Amino acid sequence: MAHLETLISAEQIRARIAELGPEIRAHFGDEPIVCIGVLKGSFLFMADLVRAIDGPVSCAFLGVSSYRGTRTSGTVRISHDLTENIEGKNCLVVEDIVDTGLTLDYLLRTLNTRNPKKLAVASLLDKPSRRQVEVPVDWVGFEIPNAFVVGYGLDLDQIYRNLPYIAIYHPDE
Ligand code: IMP
């Protein structure tokens, strides 16, 4: 049987987000921030993070699909685009995890063409050992080892997103 090994508890997630919120607010001063949640994986992180940031915050979402023919190449495209104009605005991309970096690299290049005032990134998780492209991540919740994780928004075939903690997924041996 596959089993789940807790890597980051709900309490650790809560405590880390309580630190990130004020850091993000300090970076942007009193100005409005458009938080851009990358669906679906970031939906819980986004919900908790925006509540930890004081002052004017708006919420926007976009969906990306990655097609991975092999583990080393990926084609990313936007499946659901933003409905708001981000030109001249302070934007914070809210990601669940940065793995190879391909998704974020594509997203940042695309969003930058829309001329935001600032474009920063907060990712709950970071797997630096898997990086294929250098991407700027301004706030990382937790660096994790090279393991497949689920929970708190992250899925395996759409399952496990509802777990309140992050777990390493160990498949059947
Ligand atoms: P990247 O383009 O390789 O950086 O991958 C980003 C996307 O891959 C994330 O937004 C996740 O949807 C997915 N992903 C990468 N690693 C994991 C994992 O360990 N568990 C679940 N999803 C993952």
Side-chain angles (χ1 to χ4, degrees):
M1 274 270 290
H3 80 277
L4 301 178
E5 175 195 352
T6 302
L7 180 67
I8 306 167
S9 69
E11 177 52 28
Q12 287 174 293
I13 296 170
R14 192 203 58 73
R16 184 71 182 115
I17 291 174
E19 293 174 344
L20 292 176
E23 284 179 26
I24 291 168
R25 174 42 77 201
H27 174 81
F28 288 103
D30 294 335
E31 296 184 11
I33 307 167
V34 183
C35 290
I36 302 174
V38 184
L39 296 172
K40 297 175 187 170
S42 75
F43 80 108
L44 291 179
F45 180 44
M46 174 85 170
D48 287 337
L49 186 64
V50 294
R51 284 181 285 182
I53 305 173
D54 287 337
V57 168
S58 62
C59 298
F61 294 92
L62 56 71
V64 287
S65 321
S66 319
Y67 299 103
R68 295 186 182 198
T70 72
R71 294 185 69 86
T72 54
S73 71
T75 309
V76 186
R77 68 174 185 92
I78 293 183
S79 53
H80 300 283
D81 206 343
L82 295 173
T83 53
E84 37 284 283
N85 182 356
I86 59 166
E87 185 169 355
K89 300 198 177 147
N90 293 310
C91 297
L92 179 70
V93 174
V94 179
E95 263 284 20
D96 55 354
I97 185 167
V98 183
D99 184 24
T100 61
L102 292 169
T103 304
L104 186 59
D105 179 59
Y106 171 81
L107 261 185
L108 292 178
R109 280 190 284 112
T110 303
L111 295 176
N112 263 320
T113 64
R114 301 178 190 182
N115 301 317
K117 180 176 177 187
K118 279 188 183 173
L119 186 58
V121 179
S123 182
L124 178 68
L125 304 176
D126 184 11
K127 263 192 231 176
S129 60
R130 294 252 312 155
R131 203 70 94 249
Q132 290 179 23
V133 267
E134 274 312 307
V135 278
V137 185
D138 301 271
W139 293 277
V140 170
F142 303 91
E143 268 194 19
I144 63 167
N146 182 11
F148 192 82
V149 292
V150 294
Y152 195 71
L154 289 103
D155 73 308
L156 173 66
D157 295 337
Q158 301 302 326
I159 304 297
Y160 301 118
R161 293 194 198 275
N162 57 322
L163 293 178
Y165 56 91
I166 306 276
I168 297 178
Y169 177 84
H170 295 282
D172 299 346
E173 291 306 321

